[in-house]
């Protein structure tokens, strides 16, 4: 088979890969389409894994991107549990774990990432769990019982969401963070403090600036020993220390890889006819900006869609305002745009003790915003901020800070 009549192939049947496959069919591609995954499930979204699925309020069918019935209806060949082991860009082909070689006309790499392992932990302790996949979430859910003494290593979003869910289920939770504040890589000081207060209010024993000496136990973790001499007895450990992008295939095949597989504005990698999307790729948010990876639902959704258009030879550049959310207890955090430059320029306190933080550039144009509030209370304002970012008009600081002026009014004026 030559490349011209070979199928379109997607490696990674996760969120971005699933979205790309659906988009290809929705855009009228009728040729052979193969979606290869190393999980046994049809593509699904991951946010509920640390929230509703853990709590038992939603099951896999409730957050699938495309279930197996739909894959069959759309004639998308799903090769499940059969990861790609090798790429051969020169020959436009790849090798599956079962040894078969497949040719492709064009290829999308949407291999996401895996939970980063804590190197100092012995690998054989069966009550040390990680959270990235549905099956890992089910294993964790089965272990969260009222009274379970849970130690969470890592005060990022996964650790915090697991802490919130575990407290709701009646577990005793200690959360260990190596840095001086929670979610400190992403959030400004005020929101880290708000998270700390919320978790302590709900009874989580949050410890900052913690250094772990060792985990005690032979087949099961029995206690976490800290360098300051304290020993924390536990029934279960969850490690949430970030994600490791699955770039190995691309590296071995000689593609350009930095923090992720490097792509241009059309999500093309350095190899002909190979594209990348989602958590695994690094791209420029702005033509003059540096390369970055994003680990968000919105990025997987929009890049999956965009990569499909690129696979079809469409010319448009990927250009989306980034966005992220996290739910903990009955509070919600939402971020839009770019908030990478540390502390916000302006803030306003919203009804119910929430916060809106605004990030402006030197010309007072909105670059990004964070909202923190009960339930979904900041969602509307964050949507309005997105429109203000798109508008790109200078904004008066005093007006932004004034909770009596609605953002809708501001947008109208
Ligand atoms: P994935 O969804 O990880 O899919 C990649 C797929 O490729 C996986 O199935 C993987 O097994 C497979 N694969 C890897 N290597 C191979 C191979 N060689 N061959 C075949 N298949 C392979 N984002 C938010 O914005 N808000 C949230 O609240 C939020 N909560 C989250 C909670 C959890 C627990 C997790 C894990 C993530 C959360 N995210 C959230 C992030 C969001 O879910 C991810 O950014 C998104 O899933 C990334 O999609 P992806 O398709 O790039 O990767």
């Amino acid at each position: 088979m030559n490349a011209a009549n070979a199928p379109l192939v997607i490696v990674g049947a996760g969120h971005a890969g699933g979205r790309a496959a659906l988009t290809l069919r929705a855009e009228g591609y009728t040729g052979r389409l193969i979606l290869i995954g190393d999980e046994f499930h049809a593509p699904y979204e991951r946010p509920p894994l640390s929230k509703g699925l853990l709590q038992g309020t939603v099951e896999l069918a409730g957050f699938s991107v495309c279930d197996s019935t739909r894959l069959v209806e759309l004639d998308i060949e799903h090769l499940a549990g059969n990861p790609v082991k090798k790429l051969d860009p020169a020959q436009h082909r790849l090798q599956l774990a079962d040894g078969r070689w497949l040719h492709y006309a064009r290829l999308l790499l949407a291999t996401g990432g895996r939970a980063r392992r804590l190197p100092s932990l012995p690998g054989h302790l069966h009550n040390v769990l990680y959270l990235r996949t549905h099956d890992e979430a089910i294993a964790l859910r089965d272990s969260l019982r009222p009274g379970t003494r849970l130690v969470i290593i890592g005060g990022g979003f996964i650790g915090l969401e697991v802490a919130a869910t575990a407290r709701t289920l009646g577990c005793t939770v200690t959360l260990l963070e190596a840095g001086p504040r929670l979610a400190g890589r992403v959030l400004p000081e005020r929101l880290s403090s708000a998270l700390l207060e919320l978790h302590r209010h709900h009874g989580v024993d949050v410890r900052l600036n913690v250094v772990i000496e060792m985990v005690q136990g032979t087949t099961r973790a029995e206690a976490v020993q800290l360098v300051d001499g304290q020993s924390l007895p536990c029934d279960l450990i969850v490690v949430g220390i970030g994600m490791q992008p699955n770039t190995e295939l691309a590296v071995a095949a000689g593609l350009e890889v930095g923090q992720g597989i490097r792509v241009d504005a059309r999500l093309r990698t350095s190899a002909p006819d190979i594209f990348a999307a989602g958590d695994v790729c690094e791209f420029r948010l702005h033509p003059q900006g540096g390369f970055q990876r994003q680990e968000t639902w919105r990025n997987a959704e929009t890049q999956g869609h965009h990569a499909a258009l690129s696979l079809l030879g469409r010319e448009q550049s990927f250009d989306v305002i980034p966005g992220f959310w996290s739910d903990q207890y009955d509070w919600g955090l939402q971020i839009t745009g770019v908030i990478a430059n540390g502390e916000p320029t302006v803030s306003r306190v919203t009804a119910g003790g929430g916060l809106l933080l605004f990030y402006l550039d030197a010309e007072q144009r909105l670059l990004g915003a964070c909202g923190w509030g009960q339930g979904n209370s900041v969602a509307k304002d964050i949507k309005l901020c997105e429109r203000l970012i798109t508008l790109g008009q200078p904004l008066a600081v005093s007006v932004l800070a004034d909770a009596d002026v609605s953002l809708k009014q501001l947008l109208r004026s």
Side-chain angles (χ1 to χ4, degrees):
M1 183 184 290
N2 62 30
N5 58 20
L8 293 185
V9 175
I10 299 169
V11 182
H15 186 166
R19 176 56 57 212
L22 288 177
T23 306
L24 284 167
R25 288 300 188 226
E27 290 291 319
Y29 173 70
T30 54
R32 192 169 172 211
L33 175 54
I34 303 177
L35 177 62
I36 305 170
D38 67 353
E39 293 182 72
F40 285 93
H41 303 289
Y44 61 90
E45 298 179 2
R46 293 184 198 272
L49 300 184
S50 47
K51 309 173 186 79
L53 185 90
L54 269 196
Q55 256 177 55
T57 55
V58 64
E59 295 297 334
L60 186 59
F63 51 91
S64 105
V65 172
C66 181
D67 65 20
S68 43
T69 310
R70 190 77 186 125
L71 287 169
V72 172
E73 279 168 8
L74 292 172
D75 196 17
I76 298 167
E77 293 173 48
H78 180 208
L79 308 183
N82 197 357
V84 172
K85 288 295 177 197
K86 201 170 184 180
L87 279 186
D88 178 359
Q91 302 291 323
H92 275 60
R93 61 181 194 152
L94 54 81
Q95 189 177 34
L96 298 168
D98 66 10
R100 266 185 296 161
W101 284 93
L102 282 180
H103 279 87
Y104 59 82
R106 285 184 167 165
L107 178 74
L108 173 62
L109 294 175
T111 47
R114 55 191 181 273
R116 192 182 295 280
R117 267 35 192 175
L118 191 65
S120 57
L121 272 184
H124 55 271
L125 302 174
H126 58 256
N127 58 341
V128 175
L129 302 182
Y130 293 82
L131 180 55
R132 174 76 192 181
T133 66
H134 171 267
D135 296 355
E136 288 169 341
I138 293 295
L140 177 55
R141 180 168 87 180
D142 290 346
S143 307
L144 295 177
R145 305 258 168 268
T148 297
R149 294 166 305 166
L150 170 65
V151 172
I152 297 172
I153 300 177
F157 289 112
I158 302 272
L160 291 168
E161 289 184 355
V162 170
T165 306
R167 280 302 295 142
T168 310
L169 294 172
C171 303
T172 304
V173 181
T174 306
L175 186 140
L176 308 178
E177 165 56 42
R181 57 193 180 86
L182 296 176
R185 259 189 326 124
V186 185
L187 293 183
E189 167 68 40
R190 277 176 85 173
L191 288 183
S192 292
S193 303
L195 282 171
L196 182 63
E197 196 182 313
L198 181 70
H199 280 274
R200 286 192 170 151
H201 171 76
H202 281 273
V204 179
D205 178 3
V206 181
R207 305 192 185 194
L208 304 172
N209 300 307
V210 162
V211 184
I212 295 169
E213 167 105 51
M214 64 180 292
V215 171
Q216 293 163 335
T218 44
T219 55
R220 293 177 58 80
E222 281 159 15
V224 178
Q225 179 82 45
L226 307 182
V227 287
D228 66 6
Q230 290 188 73
S231 177
L232 309 169
C234 61
D235 303 308
L236 181 66
I237 295 178
V238 171
V239 181
I241 55 166
M243 181 278 244
Q244 177 85 40
N246 291 323
T247 54
E248 289 81 356
L249 271 181
V251 171
L255 274 61
E256 206 176 326
V257 175
Q259 297 301 308
I261 303 172
R262 184 160 286 189
V263 293
D264 68 9
R266 283 177 52 203
L267 306 183
R268 289 179 297 202
T269 69
S270 58
D273 297 321
I274 302 183
F275 299 76
D279 282 12
V280 79
C281 81
E282 66 166 24
F283 63 103
R284 288 185 207 271
L285 199 52
H286 301 293
Q288 304 80 15
F291 282 94
Q292 58 170 279
R293 274 194 323 100
Q294 286 194 7
E295 300 168 13
T296 66
W297 182 98
R298 181 182 289 189
N299 187 57
E301 176 73 15
T302 53
Q303 284 195 338
H305 177 85
H306 197 90
L309 302 183
S310 291
L311 284 166
L312 294 172
R314 313 269 170 85
E315 292 293 333
Q316 63 267 52
S317 296
F318 178 71
D319 181 17
V320 171
I321 296 175
F324 173 78
W325 85 91
S326 173
D327 298 325
Q328 294 167 41
Y329 309 100
D330 50 352
W331 282 72
L333 169 77
Q334 296 210 13
I335 299 176
T336 184
V338 177
I339 64 152
N341 298 331
E343 295 306 307
T345 327
V346 194
S347 62
R348 72 161 65 174
V349 176
T350 62
L355 264 180
L356 277 175
L357 305 179
F358 305 98
Y359 292 74
L360 305 179
D361 68 8
E363 274 85 47
Q364 311 280 81
R365 294 172 305 203
L366 191 63
L367 294 176
C370 301
W372 170 246
Q374 278 203 302
N376 215 14
S377 61
V378 292
K380 230 193 222 157
D381 280 337
I382 289 296
K383 271 266 159 272
L384 291 165
C385 286
E386 218 167 288
R387 290 173 61 190
L388 287 168
I389 293 170
T390 308
L391 212 61
Q393 295 291 323
L395 301 168
V397 168
S398 57
V399 176
L400 274 182
D402 184 351
D404 290 333
V405 182
S406 77
L407 294 182
K408 208 169 188 174
Q409 262 173 283
L410 194 62
L411 199 63
R412 281 207 203 100
S413 64

